[in-house]
Amino acid sequence: MSDYLLVGVIVKTKGYKGEMIVIDIPKAIENIRENIKVKIGYSEQFAMEFNLKHFKRYQKNANLKLKEINSDTEARSLKEHGLFVKKEDINRKENVYIDHEIAGCKVYDFQTEEFLGEIVDILELPANDVWILKTDKSEIPLPVIDDVIKSVDITKKEIRIEVMEGLMDLGM
């Protein structure tokens, strides 16, 4: 498993001094430490290493400045490349997860420990996220709220939920 995480994609430049706009940053990422090494490329394997000067987050996007990139022309050459950052250099929000961490998690009943199924999709909605639980019978939308999601263990890929009355009848 990689030490790096895809943080977002560079889509355009900002100004003429090499600053770039990064989009699609997971909401679990609050910020990134400055003065660290990052990788930029179409994939982590074929990425080039750069020194991060600053990363300023706003909503789902961020302004990115690299020490080695000092002009609009240099910055444009990195357009459509991914930004990869070491996991330990990322400041994360507590109890907020990145989609790939949740996808594939096994789901168990919090009370009985009965295996219920696996998370197969994540929907980001305005009020709260919804995780889609695939059971042997149907797909159940699980609202990501404290009343339903009781524990998440990313390392074990396990989620414990409170099976509220009628929840398992919501199958699609």
Side-chain angles (χ1 to χ4, degrees):
M1 192 163 162
S2 173
D3 289 338
Y4 284 83
L5 185 65
L6 174 64
V7 170
V9 177
I10 298 168
V11 291
K12 62 182 179 178
T13 61
K14 180 182 178 194
Y16 295 99
K17 295 186 179 179
E19 198 166 22
M20 296 163 270
I21 304 291
V22 179
I23 65 164
D24 295 334
I25 300 163
K27 60 184 165 187
I29 297 174
E30 201 163 38
N31 212 336
I32 297 173
R33 289 190 6 214
E34 295 182 354
N35 300 314
I36 59 165
K37 297 231 183 269
V38 297
K39 291 184 177 183
I40 295 183
Y42 291 115
S43 72
E44 181 192 338
Q45 286 179 300
F46 301 104
M48 297 179 293
E49 200 168 79
F50 291 91
N51 292 294
L52 179 70
K53 188 171 184 179
H54 73 254
F55 180 91
K56 292 188 177 141
R57 172 113 197 214
Y58 60 96
Q59 296 172 352
K60 288 184 86 176
N61 304 331
N63 292 339
L64 170 71
K65 179 69 174 98
L66 304 171
K67 290 181 181 174
E68 296 85 354
I69 305 297
N70 296 305
S71 74
D72 181 54
T73 305
E74 292 173 318
R76 267 189 269 136
S77 72
L78 299 176
K79 187 176 169 187
E80 298 179 9
H81 287 70
L83 170 64
F84 299 89
V85 179
K86 280 190 176 178
K87 292 173 185 173
E88 67 257 19
D89 292 327
I90 296 172
N91 297 325
R92 294 183 59 137
K93 293 179 184 172
E94 220 174 292
N95 298 325
V96 180
Y97 305 97
I98 299 170
D99 291 357
H100 77 271
E101 294 173 325
I102 297 301
C105 282
K106 307 286 185 221
V107 179
Y108 298 89
D109 183 310
F110 182 69
Q111 301 293 331
T112 66
E113 290 295 319
E114 174 191 357
F115 173 73
L116 301 172
E118 183 176 308
I119 301 296
V120 294
D121 200 4
I122 292 94
L123 306 175
E124 291 184 15
L125 303 176
N128 55 268
D129 288 356
V130 173
W131 296 341
I132 305 299
L133 168 65
K134 183 171 180 53
T135 67
D136 55 355
K137 296 177 186 160
S138 64
E139 292 184 351
I140 313 282
L142 298 176
V144 182
I145 57 175
D146 293 340
D147 289 344
V148 175
I149 308 299
K150 294 301 179 184
S151 72
V152 177
D153 187 331
I154 294 303
T155 53
K156 290 183 181 177
K157 299 286 280 181
E158 293 180 352
I159 298 171
R160 303 265 184 293
I161 67 166
E162 181 73 42
V163 181
M164 302 169 85
E165 189 176 329
L167 181 66
M168 299 309 278
D169 299 330
L170 294 175
M172 298 187 257

